[in-house]
């Protein structure tokens, strides 16, 4: 099999070889759309440039790109603060990029990070098909955070999502609830898959059958939590509690229950994943599983700085633990 040359990439992308060279060498003068085409051709052809990583490290900026899916989510706000504080400690500044769970926008930001020759990228992938091969090929330091990519050998900082969801569901089961609904995230997102797995694990441990009618996949947004909760109620699904697998969906679910005048926890116990900053102000107080969001950001900054200093070290995977914060919304059932 013949080696792919820079000219092959240029033909495939419909640009000049000089443009390909500028993109792979991190020049900021390339139009982002052209840069995206070049990076797509690099991925499709499996092109591996020689010496690019070494050159990039010599000329890179002191900027980090942080790609997150929703800057309006308090989880990511706290996470980015941790990255920023950690970055400053190591002499780096942070450029925040909101991908809005959109893979095309995510690809554009990846192209910009390469074109602007950023020293490193911290990314919370839009889903499990996010492609960071162009960053890896160019020798850019990369850390995935919160969500992981299968079969991708890069540094990752995660929480034990499965254990956290098991904690939440076990708490409800120990409090006497048995028909527990689960509102989780998109089917192709690692965090949603892991939290659903933890929910199932807790049910099995208590000998409670898994009922697919009790599970809803939503979008990790407030509207998604509201819609999922409304569907469960409208379909007349028998349930006595609900576990919502992130903070915004928990808010949406509670909003729906409040509008429908469903007593919490009198008729339905509630627990969420992510400790919402104002959870204790809810009435009744909202039970949650807390993630160490700020610590996630600091850990990612440490890993990225280490990777820049030592690019040849093996990929590291850090897993932080969650904490159960029970409040009134999941108090034990009577009788």
């Amino acid at each position: 099999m013949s080696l792919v040359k820079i000219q092959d990439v240029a033909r495939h992308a419909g640009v000049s070889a000089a443009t390909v060279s500028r993109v792979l060498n991190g020049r900021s003068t390339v139009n982002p759309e052209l840069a995206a085409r070049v990076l797509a051709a690099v991925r499709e052809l499996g092109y591996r440039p020689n010496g690019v990583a070494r050159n990039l490290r010599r000329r890179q900026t002191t900027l980090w790109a942080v790609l997150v899916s929703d800057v309006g989510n308090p989880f990511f706000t706290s996470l980015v603060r941790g990255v920023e504080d950690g970055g400053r400690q190591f002499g780096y500044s942070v450029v925040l990029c909101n991908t809005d769970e959109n893979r095309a926008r995510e690809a554009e930001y990846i192209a910009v990070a390469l074109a602007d020759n950023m020293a490193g990228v911290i990314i919370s992938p839009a889903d499990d098909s996010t492609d960071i091969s162009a960053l890896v090929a160019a020798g850019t330091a990369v850390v995935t955070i919160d969500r992981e990519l299968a079969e991708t050998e890069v540094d990752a900082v995660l929480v034990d999502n499965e254990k956290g969801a098991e904690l939440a569901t076990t708490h409800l089961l120990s409090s006497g609830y048995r028909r527990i609904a689960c509102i989780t995230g998109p089917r192709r997102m690692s965090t949603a898959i892991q939290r659903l797995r933890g929910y199932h694990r807790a049910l099995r441990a208590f000998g409670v059958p898994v009922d697919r009618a009790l599970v809803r996949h939503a979008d990790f947004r407030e509207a998604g939590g509201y819609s999922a909760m409304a569907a469960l109620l409208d379909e007349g699904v028998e349930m006595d509690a609900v576990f919502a697998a992130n903070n915004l969906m928990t808010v949406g679910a509670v909003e729906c229950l409040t509008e429908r005048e469903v007593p919490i926890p009198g008729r339905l116990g509630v627990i969420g994943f992510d400790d919402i900053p104002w959870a204790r102000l809810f009435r009744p107080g909202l039970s949650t599983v807390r993630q160490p969001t700020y610590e996630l950001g600091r850990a990612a900054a440490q890993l990225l700085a280490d990777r820049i200093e030592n690019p040849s070290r093996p990929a590291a995977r850090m897993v932080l633990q969650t904490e159960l914060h029970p409040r009134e919304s999941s108090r034990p059932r009577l009788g």
Side-chain angles (χ1 to χ4, degrees), residues 123 132 135-136 140-144 149 151-157 303 307 313-317:
I123 180 171
I132 60 170
L135 293 168
V136 175
T140 303
V142 183
V143 175
T144 61
L149 295 172
E151 301 177 5
T152 304
E153 287 296 315
V154 295
D155 297 320
V157 182
L303 276 185
R307 172 63 58 190
R313 69 164 170 76
R317 185 177 185 270

Side-chain angles (χ1 to χ4, degrees), residues 255-329:
E255 182 182 0
C256 177
L257 293 172
T258 302
E259 285 186 6
R260 302 287 187 97
E261 298 183 346
V262 176
I264 303 172
R267 180 179 157 197
L268 214 62
V270 176
I271 191 167
F273 200 104
D274 299 339
D275 197 19
I276 304 164
W278 52 90
R280 64 175 60 87
L281 302 180
F282 273 73
R283 291 294 178 267
L286 188 59
S287 298
T288 59
V289 171
R290 178 188 175 272
Q291 295 193 74
T293 51
Y294 179 83
E295 293 83 357
L296 274 171
R298 288 299 295 252
Q302 178 71 62
L303 276 185
L304 193 61
D306 289 349
R307 172 63 58 190
I308 292 168
E309 285 298 311
N310 185 9
S312 61
R313 69 164 170 76
R317 185 177 185 270
M318 293 181 62
V319 180
L320 307 186
Q321 297 302 312
T322 57
E323 295 177 355
L324 178 67
H325 285 246
R327 299 184 180 98
E328 278 295 299
S329 69

Side-chain angles (χ1 to χ4, degrees), residues 10-180:
R11 276 193 298 272
H12 196 78
V15 299
S16 68
T19 296
V20 175
S21 179
R22 285 200 300 273
V23 171
L24 295 179
N25 282 284
R27 302 289 174 82
S28 60
T29 54
V30 182
N31 180 288
E33 183 181 346
L34 292 182
R37 276 164 48 190
V38 169
L39 295 173
V42 166
R43 290 194 301 270
E44 291 165 14
L45 297 178
Y47 176 68
R48 292 293 181 268
N50 294 323
V52 171
R54 183 177 61 254
N55 291 337
L56 280 175
R57 285 195 294 273
R58 277 205 299 261
R59 296 193 307 276
Q60 65 194 190
T61 67
T62 56
L63 294 176
W64 288 350
V66 181
L67 280 63
V68 299
S69 58
D70 184 5
V71 294
N73 187 330
F75 168 83
F76 287 112
T77 305
S78 177
L79 182 150
V80 171
R81 179 59 186 267
V83 173
E84 184 179 33
D85 287 352
R88 288 177 63 86
Q89 177 183 339
F90 298 111
Y92 293 94
S93 299
V94 167
V95 176
L96 178 60
C97 307
N98 181 42
T99 66
D100 205 28
E101 305 281 16
N102 183 301
R103 286 183 59 204
R105 184 178 296 182
E106 181 181 68
E108 289 175 9
Y109 280 130
I110 288 173
V112 169
L114 279 167
D116 286 350
N117 200 18
M118 293 193 181
V121 173
I122 293 174
I123 180 171
S124 177
D127 60 37
D128 65 359
S129 60
T130 288
D131 190 349
I132 60 170
S133 59
L135 293 168
V136 175
T140 303
V142 183
V143 175
T144 61
I145 192 168
D146 178 45
R147 304 166 184 173
E148 60 185 327
L149 295 172
E151 301 177 5
T152 304
E153 287 296 315
V154 295
D155 297 320
V157 182
L158 314 162
V159 297
D160 193 339
N161 289 291
E162 188 170 337
K163 182 63 176 177
E166 185 181 13
L167 274 175
T169 311
T170 297
H171 167 68
L172 290 173
L173 291 162
S174 299
S175 299
Y177 300 94
R178 286 297 179 269
R179 295 285 298 172
I180 303 169

